[in-house]
Amino acid sequence: MAQHTSVRPDLHLHYVQACQKSGQPENPFVAHVLQEADKNDEIRCTKGITLKIAGNNHPVPVQRVTDDDLGVLASVLRHAAFVKGLDLAYNVLTDDGAKTMATFLQENSSLQYLNLMFNDVGTSGAELISGALHRNRSLVHMRMTGNKIGNQGGMFFASVLQSNSTLQKLDLGDCDLGLKCLIAIATALTQNKSLRAINLNRPLLYSQEEETTVHIAKMLKGNSSLVELHLSKHEMKNFGVERLCEALYENSSLRYLDLSCNKITSDGVKFLGELLKRNQSLVILDLNANRIEDAGATYLSEALSVHNRTLQALSVVSCSISGKGLTALSNAIKANMILSYIYIWGNTFDEDACMSFSELIQMGRLNPNCTDVAPYEVDGQAQLAELSHGLQREYYWAPRHRVVADSAANASLGLVAVSEYL
């Protein structure tokens, strides 16, 4: 029988009883998380809670969640309507655990966020979970990041995007996706009207033809719901960027474009510069780890100085830019009051670049939380030091003891909020 949210839930008690009933030993880590959840007053409110049972990043090692542990946990949570989020990242769940989770997703109608990042779920596990998502009508955000589901596993999720109208954010980064499933996902997104963010980082592509980028570009021409798109490590070159830019002239919904860690040069950035002169929807552009050099930085600064008044954040970390290009970008910030976040570490700073960015920060034009450099002086000369700030510095893990404000380390979450369960 479903529990009423005004009654204190006793998750820990139910877990102990379920372990005894099934003969499964208690996992002390799971037991501790449930004990803490029982004390959480937010259980009483309608917002609900997220159970954080991630196996990484603890002061002392914890007993990671196994398939058997998940079986007991799922039986406890089956009717716990106040549990809206479940973070099981960095555990040792396999396809057997995926089977348990698939059954849970079919029976549960309250879970909105599920994080299975970096477990050991494979292709058959992906088939089971995606099968459940065809029928599930509550899950809003799913993270499969780092589970090696492969091309066939990606095909199962492409199929989900054809029928599921609830899912808003899907992370399939580092999942060893292949050419065929990327094309299938792009095709599904031409019809899907509910998905607002997708992460397709680091697929395994063996072709130099950039077919996947061409299909994604074609999808962007017709898709009016996608807000956030991650295409990091796609071996994308200038041809692919040109195709994307052509498509984005016809797209007015995409706000966050991640092209980091590709093979884009200044010639490719020229197309982006031309796009930025006319585009009125992009808010975040991530070009981190592309060889755009001074010429590319100049193309961007020209567009941002005079024409564009919508882009708020630009990352050009480790882009082989020297003093000339960095100074041009600092001048763009002086001229453009909308561009408020810029990340530049990993380039070659000369005295002029150090002076320019030091002045921007000291005069208050650039908030120290909105860039990844901090000014200091040595023998009267301006220098810049690195800060742990960025668009998504804490994508894979977040420090337990926060030194940097969340809004500074993960600026993208505040700028482009897709859903409550990010």
Side-chain angles (χ1 to χ4, degrees):
M1 198 172 99
Q3 283 185 328
H4 198 272
T5 52
S6 64
V7 179
R8 191 161 285 284
D10 278 338
L11 286 174
H12 178 250
L13 177 64
H14 291 169
Y15 176 66
V16 172
Q17 290 171 344
C19 286
Q20 289 169 349
K21 187 177 177 183
S22 64
Q24 169 69 18
E26 284 180 45
N27 180 317
F29 173 45
V30 174
H32 172 72
V33 171
L34 297 181
Q35 269 183 318
E36 293 301 306
D38 285 340
K39 299 174 191 172
N40 192 335
D41 288 334
E42 286 186 12
I43 284 179
R44 293 173 177 275
C45 72
T46 52
K47 186 182 176 187
I49 59 165
T50 295
L51 291 178
K52 295 183 178 179
I53 318 179
N56 69 325
N57 195 25
H58 297 278
V60 293
V62 296
Q63 186 176 319
R64 299 199 179 201
V65 180
T66 65
D67 296 333
D68 291 337
D69 292 330
L70 182 61
V72 181
L73 181 63
S75 71
V76 172
L77 299 181
R78 191 156 285 133
H79 301 300
F82 50 84
V83 176
K84 304 291 188 186
L86 186 55
D87 181 353
L88 289 164
Y90 294 98
N91 283 298
V92 286
L93 302 174
T94 68
D95 290 339
D96 287 340
K99 186 176 182 181
T100 303
M101 186 52 68
T103 306
F104 179 78
L105 287 172
Q106 287 180 43
E107 295 175 355
N108 180 286
S109 59
S110 56
L111 197 71
Q112 297 182 23
Y113 168 62
L114 177 60
N115 185 354
L116 295 178
M117 179 178 189
F118 286 100
N119 278 277
D120 296 316
V121 178
T123 303
S124 60
E127 181 176 13
L128 293 162
I129 288 171
S130 58
L133 290 178
H134 280 289
R135 293 177 284 281
N136 180 282
R137 290 293 175 267
S138 66
L139 203 68
V140 174
H141 182 187
M142 172 93 204
R143 289 194 78 173
M144 286 294 291
T145 328
N147 289 284
K148 307 307 179 188
I149 64 174
N151 189 69
Q152 187 56 53
M155 293 295 277
F156 294 129
F157 277 97
S159 166
V160 168
L161 295 176
Q162 291 178 330
S163 66
N164 183 299
S165 58
T166 314
L167 204 60
Q168 292 183 30
K169 191 167 186 176
L170 177 62
D171 192 334
L172 297 174
D174 302 280
C175 283
D176 292 358
L177 303 182
L179 174 78
K180 287 183 179 177
C181 79
L182 284 176
I183 292 172
I185 288 168
T187 305
L189 288 176
T190 57
Q191 303 299 322
N192 184 293
K193 298 286 186 288
S194 56
L195 199 76
R196 303 191 66 206
I198 191 163
N199 187 326
L200 300 171
N201 289 350
R202 212 227 71 191
L204 298 181
L205 300 174
Y206 302 103
S207 164
Q208 298 297 311
E209 301 293 317
E210 299 196 71
E211 301 105 308
T212 55
T213 309
V214 170
H215 279 85
I216 289 166
K218 186 178 177 185
M219 173 273 292
L220 286 171
K221 283 185 180 179
N223 183 296
S224 59
S225 53
L226 204 64
V227 172
E228 180 178 333
L229 176 62
H230 295 267
L231 300 174
S232 181
K233 301 178 185 174
H234 270 242
E235 300 273 314
M236 192 185 301
K237 296 180 278 292
N238 299 332
F239 170 80
V241 177
E242 187 178 8
R243 300 288 82 76
L244 280 181
C245 289
E246 285 171 359
L248 288 172
Y249 282 109
E250 299 176 40
N251 180 298
S252 58
S253 61
L254 195 72
R255 301 180 68 206
Y256 183 177
L257 179 61
D258 175 6
L259 300 177
S260 60
C261 305
N262 280 296
K263 296 184 175 179
I264 303 166
T265 70
S266 58
D267 290 344
V269 177
K270 192 172 186 178
F271 300 120
L272 283 167
E274 289 303 311
L275 173 70
L276 287 172
K277 289 177 183 178
R278 286 169 50 188
N279 181 280
Q280 294 183 357
S281 56
L282 274 179
V283 173
I284 303 175
L285 178 60
D286 189 348
L287 294 173
N288 160 23
N290 285 284
R291 198 178 179 84
I292 74 170
E293 301 178 306
D294 286 344
T298 304
Y299 291 135
L300 291 173
S301 59
E302 284 172 3
L304 294 168
S305 293
V306 182
H307 304 278
N308 186 287
R309 289 297 180 268
T310 47
L311 197 78
Q312 293 181 41
L314 173 67
S315 178
V316 287
V317 172
S318 301
C319 281
S320 303
I321 306 171
S322 69
K324 181 185 171 187
L326 291 167
T327 304
L329 287 170
S330 73
N331 290 333
I333 293 171
K334 284 177 190 169
N336 180 345
M337 300 308 288
I338 304 299
L339 183 63
S340 306
Y341 298 75
I342 189 160
Y343 304 98
I344 58 170
W345 187 257
N347 294 296
T348 308
F349 302 105
D350 65 4
E351 194 177 343
D352 287 345
C354 290
M355 279 287 295
S356 300
F357 278 93
S358 295
E359 285 173 10
L360 284 172
I361 294 164
Q362 285 160 355
M363 65 194 266
R365 169 61 191 93
L366 193 55
N367 186 317
N369 283 338
C370 300
T371 186
D372 58 350
V373 292
Y376 68 102
E377 271 193 22
V378 176
D379 296 333
Q381 279 203 330
Q383 303 285 342
L384 296 174
E386 184 186 13
L387 296 174
S388 292
H389 296 171
L391 293 171
Q392 273 197 325
R393 283 295 284 245
E394 296 171 3
Y395 172 65
Y396 290 108
W397 70 282
R400 286 183 69 81
H401 304 291
R402 187 158 291 292
V403 178
V404 174
D406 184 53
S407 57
N410 305 296
S412 64
L413 297 185
L415 284 168
V416 177
V418 169
S419 72
E420 182 186 347
Y421 287 91
L422 290 156

